């Protein structure tokens, strides 16, 4: 089974941008739960600023 999830957690109001440490933690949690991250894509705004990451994950059910 495959799923697409969106990761939007911001670092803070004044720092801006996506919290990469939190993204890495989320990927680690997904791996611990048996999910495999297949692809990570950045979602950008009008001027190229990243506002979210889209993750394609897969779980092989038996």
């Amino acid at each position: 089974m495959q799923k697409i999830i969106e990761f939007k957690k911001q670092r803070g109001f004044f720092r801006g941008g996506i919290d990469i440490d939190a993204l890495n933690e989320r990927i680690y949690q997904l791996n611990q739960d048996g999910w495999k991250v297949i692809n990570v894509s950045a979602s950008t705004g009008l001027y190229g600023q990243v506002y979210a990451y889209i993750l394609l994950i897969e779980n092989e059910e038996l």
Side-chain angles (χ1 to χ4, degrees), residues 2 5 10 13 15 17-18 26 31 40-42 46 52 58:
Q2 292 183 331
I5 59 173
Q10 300 290 320
F13 181 74
R15 293 178 65 190
I18 301 295
R26 179 69 173 135
N31 287 331
V40 177
S41 300
L46 184 61
E58 180 177 70

Side-chain angles (χ1 to χ4, degrees), residues 29-54:
Q29 290 173 353
L30 288 167
N31 287 331
Q32 294 298 314
D33 292 340
W35 291 94
K36 179 180 176 185
V37 177
I38 303 299
N39 192 2
V40 177
S41 300
S43 295
T44 59
L46 184 61
Y47 298 107
Q49 182 179 4
V50 175
Y51 67 88
Y53 284 98
I54 308 299

